[in-house]
Amino acid sequence: MKARDPIADLRRIAFLLERANEATYRVRAFRSAAKALAGLPAAEVTERAGNGTLTKLAGVGDVTARCVAESLAGEEPVYLRRLVATEGSDLDAEATALRVALRGDCHTHSDWSDGGSPIEEMALAAVELGHEYMVLTDHSPRLKVARGLTADRLRRQLDHVAQVNAALPEGFRILTGIEVDILADGSLDQDEELLARLDVVVGSVHSGLNDERAKMTRRMLTAVANPHLDILGHCTGRMVSSRPAGVTGPGDRGHRARIRGESDFDADAVFAACAEHDTAVEINSRPERQDPPKRLIRRALEAGCRFAINTDAHAPGQLDWQRFGCERAARCGVPADRVVNTWSAKQLVEWAGDRS
């Protein structure tokens, strides 16, 4: 049989492990093996697989070496076959229709901040999922634990994204963005000039999550009224379970978040402001967040808000977590025409630009 691409198979296994929220060490094993082999001539990989010396390479273990040998023999690796056979769960008709309508993801991270993979790798995974765009939203400078981007680093990232876009398949585009911290006074943690340059700005509260109700409400109302803020991210800040093990970014490595309750704020006032200023409310798809809870999604819908169903992905496999957000949105009756990432990249950027 014709040999398969062993590196592609290793990366596919890592993707499926991330999507299934498997342990970090499993994901890292396959990504490390793929990286080790990518630096070698194909003939050397084949030779090492034949003489049993693949495991002498740093980053390649017994399991990954066996997958490589099976790929080179033209067989789908058993490990991959089992993952495909047991992956995911079917969505019902309403959630499926909403998932199909999504054309991109407005909240993603790379290894420039606390994500685990390069921008290029995240983008190619989005292409494979059939997306038309991915908004890159690495963190802002105050979130030091997540290696937030200073103004200078963000400018360098903008130049890098332009270079990456030039090499990506036609029909796909990385949109520039940021997940900017909403500071204690409601201001946004990045230079105004830079925020104006970005295609899409997501704003989230990451500190002072236990602020008293009136203070948190003022903070969020001030942020929502800022013309640069396009999407209000994970608005309650809750964690319903500890952080998924599949996250491998520098800011997350070895760390598991504590389960925490919701921040206390006047949801009706905040959602009314979002509707008034045409700021979208994020439906965060991360399994450990499920933010906002369904009762607040329904209140935002009644208030007339737009939504963005985002993954907040920190690894390529997590880009397929939008189905979790779609399930929750569908249960709450959110129609596709109220979701901004059902739009084309052009429509999305024009909407964000008009708001500014």
Side-chain angles (χ1 to χ4, degrees), residues 223-292:
V224 167
N226 189 310
H228 295 304
L229 183 66
D230 303 309
I231 299 169
L232 178 62
H234 48 71
C235 64
T236 78
R238 75 175 187 171
M239 289 283 185
V240 297
S241 65
S242 56
R243 190 183 303 276
V247 177
T248 57
D252 290 310
R253 187 170 294 130
H255 173 72
R256 296 182 70 80
R258 294 177 180 176
I259 295 172
R260 63 174 178 247
E262 302 168 21
S263 294
D264 189 16
F265 61 94
D266 185 338
D268 290 331
V270 170
F271 294 149
C274 286
E276 177 186 353
H277 296 287
D278 201 18
T279 303
V281 175
E282 177 181 74
I283 298 176
N284 190 289
S285 301
R286 293 190 71 86
E288 83 277 22
R289 284 195 180 274
Q290 299 179 37
D291 194 3

Side-chain angles (χ1 to χ4, degrees), residues 117-192:
S117 296
I119 295 169
E120 296 86 340
E121 199 167 316
M122 295 293 290
L124 290 173
V127 171
E128 290 176 7
L129 287 171
H131 289 181
E132 298 174 21
Y133 55 86
M134 174 191 87
V135 186
L136 179 63
T137 54
D138 280 319
H139 288 286
S140 61
R142 293 286 183 96
L143 203 62
K144 295 187 186 302
V145 69
R147 297 175 65 238
L149 272 61
T150 63
D152 284 344
R153 288 185 67 217
L154 179 55
R155 290 188 185 94
R156 291 200 297 273
Q157 186 182 78
L158 296 180
D159 292 339
H160 183 70
V161 167
Q163 294 171 2
V164 174
N165 270 332
L168 286 171
E170 186 176 353
F172 181 86
R173 177 180 167 196
I174 301 171
L175 300 181
T176 60
I178 193 170
E179 184 184 12
V180 65
D181 264 31
I182 296 173
L183 302 178
D185 62 356
S187 61
L188 305 183
D189 180 32
Q190 191 50 271
D191 293 353
E192 292 275 319

Side-chain angles (χ1 to χ4, degrees), residues 1-240:
M1 290 187 289
K2 183 180 178 181
R4 295 166 58 94
D5 181 345
I7 297 172
D9 281 343
L10 292 170
R11 287 175 174 159
R12 180 64 179 168
I13 290 169
F15 176 92
L16 293 174
L17 288 170
E18 286 167 343
R19 185 168 72 174
N21 199 13
E22 289 285 351
T24 299
Y25 75 89
R26 289 198 178 98
V27 176
R28 190 178 295 133
F30 287 93
R31 290 214 180 278
S32 296
K35 184 176 181 180
L37 298 188
L40 298 177
E44 182 178 345
V45 174
T46 301
E47 181 182 352
R48 284 181 174 274
N51 62 27
T53 60
L54 278 174
T55 55
K56 295 193 179 298
L57 296 170
V60 180
D62 291 337
V63 174
T64 50
R66 184 158 56 255
C67 290
V68 171
E70 290 167 344
S71 291
L72 291 173
E75 304 169 5
E76 183 178 38
V78 172
Y79 201 110
L80 175 57
R81 205 158 59 235
R82 287 173 180 163
L83 282 174
V84 171
T86 58
E87 65 176 324
S89 58
D90 293 336
L91 299 179
D92 62 24
E94 292 81 7
T96 297
L98 193 50
R99 176 65 188 88
V100 169
L102 296 181
R103 300 171 76 170
D105 192 333
C106 297
H107 187 170
T108 68
H109 296 274
S110 76
D111 61 2
W112 282 63
S113 65
D114 64 341
S117 296
I119 295 169
E120 296 86 340
E121 199 167 316
M122 295 293 290
L124 290 173
V127 171
E128 290 176 7
L129 287 171
H131 289 181
E132 298 174 21
Y133 55 86
M134 174 191 87
V135 186
L136 179 63
T137 54
D138 280 319
H139 288 286
S140 61
R142 293 286 183 96
L143 203 62
K144 295 187 186 302
V145 69
R147 297 175 65 238
L149 272 61
T150 63
D152 284 344
R153 288 185 67 217
L154 179 55
R155 290 188 185 94
R156 291 200 297 273
Q157 186 182 78
L158 296 180
D159 292 339
H160 183 70
V161 167
Q163 294 171 2
V164 174
N165 270 332
L168 286 171
E170 186 176 353
F172 181 86
R173 177 180 167 196
I174 301 171
L175 300 181
T176 60
I178 193 170
E179 184 184 12
V180 65
D181 264 31
I182 296 173
L183 302 178
D185 62 356
S187 61
L188 305 183
D189 180 32
Q190 191 50 271
D191 293 353
E192 292 275 319
E193 166 264 323
L194 271 173
L195 293 176
R197 284 180 60 187
L198 300 174
D199 292 322
V200 178
V201 173
V202 177
S204 306
V205 174
H206 288 107
S207 61
L209 292 166
N210 293 322
D211 280 353
E212 55 91 19
R213 180 182 178 87
K215 181 177 180 181
M216 181 63 80
T217 301
R218 287 194 301 272
R219 182 180 183 182
M220 295 175 76
L221 290 175
T222 300
V224 167
N226 189 310
H228 295 304
L229 183 66
D230 303 309
I231 299 169
L232 178 62
H234 48 71
C235 64
T236 78
R238 75 175 187 171
M239 289 283 185
V240 297

